[in-house]
Amino acid sequence: MDHQQIQALVEQACEEFKHPATQQRAEQVLLQFRRSHNPIPACQHILERSPSAEARFHAACTLREAAVREWASTPPEARAAVRSYALAYAAHHAGEAGLSVVRATLVGALAVVLKRGWGEMDAESRAAFFREVEAAAAPPDGPGAAARLRVVLEVLEAVVAEFSLATASAIGVAWDYHERCRSELEAQFLRQFFQMALDVARSTATSGAAAAGGDAGACAAAMALMCAVLNWGVRNGGGGGGMAAPGRPRGGGDGGGAAAALRPGQAWGEVLLAPGATDWLLGLLPSLRGAAAAGQLAVRARALVVAYCSLAGDVFPRPAPGDAAAASPAAVAHCGRMLQAALPWVTPAEGALHQALANDEAELLDGCRALSSLAANHKPAAFAAAADALAASGAPHTFAALEELTRAALAAGGAAGADAAEPWVVDATDMLLDAWSSLLSPQCGYAMAAVAPPRGAAERAARAFAALVEAGLADAAAGAHEDATEEEDQGAGAAAQEEWLSRAAVLARAAPAPALGLLADRVDAARAELAAAASSGRDASEALERLCWLARAAAHALADTGAGEMPLPPEALLLALSAGGPAAAAAGAAAERLSCALLEIAGLCLSPEARAAGAVSPRLCEVALWAAARWADTYLFPEDEPLPEALEARFGAAGGGGQAALELLAAAANQCLTGYPGESDLTGVTTGALLPVLVRRRAAAARLLSSEPWRALAGAFARREPVLARDLPQKQQRALARSLCAAAAAFAGDHSAGNGRPPGEGARAAGEYVRQLMEPAARELAALAAHAPAQLAAAAERADVQLQVCCLVETLRGALRATLPSTQPVLWQLLSGLLQPLLTLHWAFRHQAQ
């Protein structure tokens, strides 16, 4: 079959593919063509002569696949000819809009063929190829010159995309080949690619051709190439000579991630930080706003701004030794230029949001992304200094813009999560909260004292936090009448909500006096609303959800998770409480008041009147105990580091409030374990979160052992009451036994020198405590094994007996894991007496299973 016949066959298949009746047959024809042997000459024939754009597209795809598939059987000169053909075709048809997809496919084929043969090319051959690419734009003037220049830039961008590990194609080679190609392109050509793109973008922008649309898209292609280079992920500092190309931004977008950190290294500083690298961009941006013809050019320009905002690391000069929190002048200048570029996209906030809701949200989202990236990748001092300098020139202050934009986004549904009417509003809110978190988190480091947030940021954050609280409460009330799925309650939705509250807590800690006081006021109001709804018989679900939200928000604001480290008050709170003066006193009073409000929510679990009136639900108890556990882990009887003065006096070892809080939480745990049988989520929080916190410190455990609620819980456990011995899942029974036995550490510490007690008394008391707890379980297990063989075999078939044995074994297992060396002999004594009963039960269950 000659080339003309193949062309006719492919064209007919492309037409038939458009009709459902003949689509399957046409698909088989096109696949057969794509898989045929040595189809490249036929592909070139179709590309040059076919009037069908669809046929040319399939020819380009086939050429790309065949060039890699038949690489081994293709002579070196033929491989080079494929590269040259693809380049010449793309340049020759640069101005034909109808062939844009065909052109892009051939450009991608060129990049794939170049990479596949990269290992066989010497340095001069590589440089010669890129000189050939540059020559494809010639002549530099005359008809089609701008379009040819655009194609050259697109070729370089495709080469970078192919050589980047994140976007490389599968070409049948080992991974180290891909890595070698990446490293060599970076070292030899990458900076030159960026410089070429910068020169083209600057010249077309300053001449006015880009804004007027007279550059055939060359400026947009140049900015796409610059974004690709910035998002490449330089490892070796770049450099080199010759011409080269960059890769697509990671994540698939032109601007990269919202808070991606781009670290090209010191060698790139003079290229990226010189005013000439961005002045042309600042001049171009105003002409693109609101211009209907700007389109892709505006998108590329904003993406480039976001990429510049993501610059970080050694590209900026390092601060002087001993002044790690200071900002270099270069960083301040860069932040100022980027703020000047991005602020018009988001100010005034109401107008920007209204325009986004009515038309296109891309500009607003890019503005939020730029602010978030700039705050994440630069020191707050540099950001604040740039904002102050920009405000002095008459522009809106960035902190004020952030506050107004955050409040506007929250009012538009930014706290609604997956239920938002406009999901992009939630994305914008998340990025703004990320920006606040970066600016307000205390700057700490090696040999560096913590530095407070920039001046003026805390006051703005407090107002933004107030709007956040109102939006969160409104969203919680709206969700009261919806059935939450398990994923929303425990899976990805719950994790996203916790992350959201963690970022919101950063705003509260930056201005603790107004923010924590506001939360305490809202807790009081929500409790009063709940009581009023319950007493009048009205639906209390909205009030319950508001109180649940406030409990979680308060716990996040007051304490970190403490996971994997010693729980300490958040650094931002410590800075505010230790600053001295009226502000510190007000912050301490607000933190104390909010702590008491959090405990009062947990105290609702103990109120028979509230439970009878429907003002308490298992969900509220679950959230209240989780929040109280997080708070208690940080503030209740601390041992290693003293609390700030106001909180130490209230909840430390010397204050009476700590004992009252401990007894309240122990009573709440007891009530939730015994008063809500079958509520596994609630009992799981009680046994897995609250009780381990209460017994973790010896000072707290010692007081627990003498408290009535703890004695009641331990007695119920020792008596093997059904609500604890049957209703609790096995894992929770094991956790309960572990916590009850871990409290014996308080006895074991009693015999330390200087307390006037005889040596060994504490160990004996601990052993007796553990014996009283576990001996009834051991006796019950022995009694089960004492049945006659026939009775035991029959009992082993009963589900209730199987559950009873499993629960007893799990209880003993949990106790053994929790006890100290001084109390383990007691358990070993119990277990040694159970060896024969356990073997008997094991035989019975094994016989039943067979």
Side-chain angles (χ1 to χ4, degrees), residues 91 94 136-152 214-216 218:
D141 50 14
R148 290 193 299 273
L149 179 59
R150 185 200 69 239
V151 165
V152 166
D215 67 337

Side-chain angles (χ1 to χ4, degrees), residues 249-636:
R250 284 166 288 180
D254 288 297
L262 308 181
R263 304 175 181 274
Q266 284 182 321
W268 286 72
E270 60 184 65
V271 177
L272 296 174
L273 301 182
T278 52
D279 283 353
W280 62 272
L281 182 58
L282 297 179
L284 175 66
L285 286 169
S287 64
L288 302 181
R289 297 201 67 213
Q296 190 66 17
L297 182 61
V299 171
R300 299 287 191 184
R302 294 197 305 268
L304 184 57
V305 170
V306 173
Y308 268 117
C309 289
S310 301
L311 290 179
D314 291 343
V315 68
F316 297 99
R318 296 184 179 181
D323 197 13
S328 69
V332 173
H334 178 74
C335 285
R337 288 194 290 271
M338 294 304 102
L339 288 175
Q340 181 182 348
L343 279 178
W345 307 339
V346 296
T347 55
E350 291 290 347
L353 193 65
H354 178 75
Q355 180 179 348
L357 289 168
N359 185 14
D360 181 12
E361 68 275 9
E363 185 177 78
L364 178 69
L365 284 176
D366 283 336
C368 296
R369 189 174 292 114
L371 292 173
S372 177
S373 296
L374 203 62
N377 293 303
H378 294 83
K379 293 178 179 143
F383 193 100
D388 291 341
L390 200 60
S393 67
H397 197 286
T398 306
F399 293 155
L402 265 176
E403 178 207 335
E404 294 168 6
L405 190 59
T406 304
R407 295 172 65 179
L410 288 166
D419 298 325
E422 295 286 352
W424 63 264
V425 178
V426 179
D427 295 337
T429 306
D430 288 345
M431 287 186 279
L432 294 171
L433 291 180
D434 283 337
W436 281 116
S437 297
S438 300
L439 291 170
L440 299 174
S441 297
Q443 301 297 296
C444 305
Y446 177 73
M448 168 186 166
V451 178
R455 180 177 55 85
E459 293 79 3
R460 297 285 184 180
R463 289 192 282 270
F465 181 75
L468 186 150
V469 169
E470 300 308 320
L473 290 174
D475 182 60
H481 306 290
E482 299 174 1
D483 292 330
T485 64
E486 183 177 351
E487 181 182 3
E488 291 170 332
D489 276 341
Q490 300 176 357
Q497 179 72 356
E498 293 304 305
E499 176 63 26
W500 196 84
L501 286 172
S502 295
R503 287 179 291 181
V506 178
L507 281 75
R509 296 168 185 175
L516 302 187
L518 172 67
L519 280 177
D521 290 340
R522 291 294 182 268
V523 170
D524 292 343
R527 288 178 61 239
E529 179 189 4
L530 181 60
S535 62
S536 64
R538 291 185 287 109
D539 182 9
S541 56
E542 291 189 6
L544 280 168
E545 286 301 318
R546 289 193 187 96
L547 199 55
C548 287
W549 189 92
L550 287 165
R552 293 166 62 194
H556 277 86
L558 288 170
D560 294 318
T561 62
E565 59 187 19
M566 179 191 305
L568 294 173
E571 190 70 35
L573 272 183
L574 289 178
L575 276 174
L577 295 175
S578 61
E592 180 185 355
R593 184 169 164 237
L594 183 58
S595 299
C596 293
L598 199 57
L599 292 171
E600 288 169 357
I601 299 176
L604 286 175
C605 306
L606 300 173
S607 171
E609 297 80 8
R611 293 199 304 275
V616 178
S617 67
R619 171 171 163 74
L620 176 62
C621 292
E622 177 189 344
V623 173
L625 293 197
W626 173 87
R630 180 163 175 159
W631 172 87
D633 206 18
T634 298
Y635 294 99
L636 199 55

Side-chain angles (χ1 to χ4, degrees), residues 581-748:
E592 180 185 355
R593 184 169 164 237
L594 183 58
S595 299
C596 293
L598 199 57
L599 292 171
E600 288 169 357
I601 299 176
L604 286 175
C605 306
L606 300 173
S607 171
E609 297 80 8
R611 293 199 304 275
V616 178
S617 67
R619 171 171 163 74
L620 176 62
C621 292
E622 177 189 344
V623 173
L625 293 197
W626 173 87
R630 180 163 175 159
W631 172 87
D633 206 18
T634 298
Y635 294 99
L636 199 55
F637 295 111
E639 293 178 341
D640 300 289
E641 295 287 340
L643 294 174
E645 184 176 350
L647 296 173
E648 180 69 31
R650 183 64 185 268
F651 302 111
Q659 177 69 29
L662 190 67
E663 293 190 3
L664 182 147
L665 294 179
N670 195 350
Q671 173 62 38
C672 290
L673 285 174
T674 58
Y676 293 95
E679 294 289 345
S680 59
D681 290 341
L682 173 56
T683 54
V685 167
T686 306
T687 57
L690 181 59
L691 290 181
V693 165
L694 298 184
V695 300
R696 186 168 298 157
R697 299 184 180 99
R698 288 186 176 180
R703 290 167 171 80
L704 267 181
L705 289 168
S706 61
S707 69
E708 181 58 35
W710 190 262
R711 287 199 298 266
L713 179 60
F717 178 84
R719 292 190 301 271
R720 304 292 298 158
E721 291 189 0
V723 71
L724 299 180
R726 302 288 190 274
D727 296 341
L728 280 184
Q730 294 177 25
K731 180 179 179 181
Q732 295 177 18
Q733 288 198 41
R734 187 165 67 246
L736 176 58
R738 218 165 28 234
S739 294
L740 287 168
C741 290
F747 286 120

Side-chain angles (χ1 to χ4, degrees), residues 230-257:
L230 291 176
N231 284 276
W232 166 272
V234 174
R235 300 183 186 179
N236 303 321
M243 243 191 70
R248 296 187 204 283
R250 284 166 288 180
D254 288 297

Side-chain angles (χ1 to χ4, degrees), residues 34 129 225 562:
R34 186 169 294 189
F129 170 75
L225 181 52

